[in-house]
Amino acid sequence: MSERQHGFNTQAIHAGQAPDPLTGAVIPPIYQTSTFVQDGINVLRNGHEYSRGSNPTRNGFETQLTTLEAGHAGFAFASGIAAEDALLRAVLAPGDHIVLGADGYGGTNRLINRLHGKWGITNTPVDITDTAAVAAAVQPGKTALLWVETPSNPLLGIADVAAWAAIAHAAGALLVVDNTFSTPFLQRPLRLGADVVVHSTTKYIGGHSDVLGGAVIVSDATFRGETLAAAVGLQQFAGGAVAGPQDCFLAARGLKTLGLRMERHCSNAARIATWLDGRAELEKVLYPGLPTHPGHELAKAQSSGFGGIVSLQFVGGEAAARAFAESTELFALSVSLGGVESLVCYSAEMTHASVIGTELAVPRNLVRLSVGIEQVEDLIADLELGLTAARSATLERVAA
Ligand SMILES: *Cc1c(COP(=O)(O)O)cnc(C)c1O
C-alpha cells in the first residue's frame, strides 16, 4: 500500500497492520514466540530468527509508528525510559555533554544524572523557551545531544523545535524531542528538523492505561560515522530491552484510534482550561491553547493542536493544591497520563519527587490534569468538587 499518500488516520490503521497473509485474519496475529524455525542452518523465513532481534508483532507496530512520525526507522522498547536509555547508549560516549530542557519528565532527569552520570555524561539544564540560553549552554566539541520536551512537563512551556535543531546542528550535535505529550497527530518533530523522536507509548499511543512501552524513531541522519538507524538497532538487539509481542499488540491497537482520541482530549482540555481560567482559587492556568499563554503562537505554528494536559497553580499554595488533588472523583489521583480516563497528579511529590530540593523542583502549588475523553460536563462538575476543597483548605490556612 502506498502509505505516504494517505491521511493520518488511514496510516494509523493500515501502516504495518496488513491482514495476515496466511489466514486472511484482518488483525495480524500476536506472534507469541521466542524463536523461529530455520529451513536450513541460517536459512531464515522472512528474516526472523529470535524475537530479541525481530518479531512480526513488534515490527508491525514499529512500522505503524514510524510512518506516523514521518521517520526513517523506529524501534520499540519495554518502556519509555528503556527507549531513552537505549538511545543515550547508542549515540553517546563517556565525556559527552547534553543540553537538557529543564522542565521535563522527572525520570529522564534521573536516568541521565544518576545512571549515565556514572559513565561521565554531563548535562546543563536550560529554560526550554529561551533560545539564547539554549545556544549559550552548548559546549563546543563536547555537546553531543540537545534534548527537549514540548509542551513540557508539567509547566507546559513551548520550545521552538526548528530553532533548537539549528543550534544542535551548528554544534555538530543531535536534537532529540520527546513527543509523548503531543503525539505525531499534533506535531511531527522530525519534519521540524529534529533527528530523533522518543515516546513513552505508555501514554497517548497505548491510550488506555493498560500497557507500558517506549519507542525511538530516527531520521536518516548519520552521527559519528554510523546511521542512527544502525546505532539504535544494534542497541535494541544487543542491549535487549525490547517490547514483548503482547505489549506491541496493545500499543498498535491503541495507535489506530490516536487521532480520534486526541481530538477529544484537545477539545475537552480547551473547554476545561477556558472554564478554569480566571477562577479566584487559581493563580494560573497553564495550557498552550489559551491565547494568553506565552507559547500560544509558537504552539499554533508548529503543531495542529494543544494537547490534553492542563496544569493549575493555586492561590492557596500547597495546601489548596493538595486538597484539590485529593478531592476529585472522576479525576483519579495517579501518576501517568494520556489514557481515556482523566487523572490528577500532585507533580512536586509524585512524578517529580526525584528533583525535590534542586533547581528543577516543581512549584508546590501546582496540580497537573490529564484530561480524558469522558463527557466534558461531568469532568467540569468533578473539578468543581476539587475547587471547593481547595477553597476550604485556603480558608483553614488563613484561620490558622
Ligand atoms: C512517562 C514518560 C516517560 C517515561 O516513560 P515510561 O513508559 O514511564 O518509562 C518519558 N517522557 C515523558 C514525557 C513521559 O510522560
Side-chain angles (χ1 to χ4, degrees), residues 231-250:
V232 178
L234 174 67
Q235 194 60 235
Q236 185 192 41
F237 173 60
V242 293
Q246 301 270 357
D247 290 353
C248 289
F249 168 78
L250 286 171

Side-chain angles (χ1 to χ4, degrees), residues 79-81 84 105 108 149 178 180-181 200 202-203 212-213 337:
S79 69
I81 282 294
E84 295 182 6
Y105 183 67
T108 301
E149 286 173 37
D178 183 332
T180 300
F181 271 36
S200 169
T202 310
K203 312 295 169 49
L212 281 180
L337 58 102

Side-chain angles (χ1 to χ4, degrees), residues 333-355:
L333 180 61
S334 170
V335 297
S336 200
L337 58 102
V340 292
E341 62 289 305
S342 294
L343 302 178
V344 58
C345 168
Y346 184 62
S347 303
E349 289 190 9
M350 291 170 64
T351 51
H352 287 65
S354 64
V355 291

Side-chain angles (χ1 to χ4, degrees), residues 50-273:
Y50 185 62
S51 279
R52 175 155 43 73
S54 71
N55 173 284
T57 312
R58 187 173 86 226
N59 300 152
F61 170 57
E62 289 169 338
T63 300
Q64 187 188 13
L65 183 55
T66 303
T67 304
L68 295 177
E69 283 288 3
H72 172 68
F75 305 90
F77 291 89
S79 69
I81 282 294
E84 295 182 6
D85 180 53
L87 171 66
L88 292 167
R89 286 186 291 124
V91 298
L92 297 183
D96 283 341
H97 172 256
I98 303 174
V99 175
L100 181 60
D103 181 32
Y105 183 67
T108 301
N109 194 275
R110 180 170 49 219
L111 169 70
I112 289 174
N113 279 299
R114 295 196 38 203
L115 297 196
H116 290 270
K118 276 201 261 191
W119 298 93
I121 305 298
T122 56
N123 73 86
T124 306
V126 290
D127 175 351
I128 67 155
T129 65
D130 183 349
T131 309
V134 175
V138 170
Q139 299 176 8
K142 216 166 146 18
T143 301
L145 285 188
L146 278 67
W147 186 298
V148 70
E149 286 173 37
T150 180
S152 64
N153 178 11
L155 298 180
L156 299 164
I158 303 295
D160 184 337
V161 175
W164 276 68
I167 295 166
H169 298 156
L174 297 171
L175 175 61
V176 182
V177 174
D178 183 332
N179 205 29
T180 300
F181 271 36
S182 286
T183 82
F185 183 69
L186 300 179
Q187 169 176 287
R188 298 193 199 205
L190 298 174
R191 289 255 170 93
L192 297 168
D195 304 287
V196 185
V197 162
V198 295
H199 274 287
S200 169
T201 58
T202 310
K203 312 295 169 49
Y204 289 107
I205 288 173
H208 297 74
S209 305
D210 53 8
V211 63
L212 281 180
V216 176
I217 299 103
V218 297
S219 73
D220 60 1
T222 296
F223 189 62
R224 295 177 174 164
E226 199 180 12
T227 65
L228 292 177
V232 178
L234 174 67
Q235 194 60 235
Q236 185 192 41
F237 173 60
V242 293
Q246 301 270 357
D247 290 353
C248 289
F249 168 78
L250 286 171
R253 183 167 73 167
L255 187 48
K256 291 177 186 176
T257 56
L258 179 71
L260 284 177
R261 287 185 287 107
M262 287 313 289
E263 282 174 4
R264 178 64 78 88
H265 282 296
C266 289
S267 66
N268 277 2
R271 192 57 204 281
I272 283 171

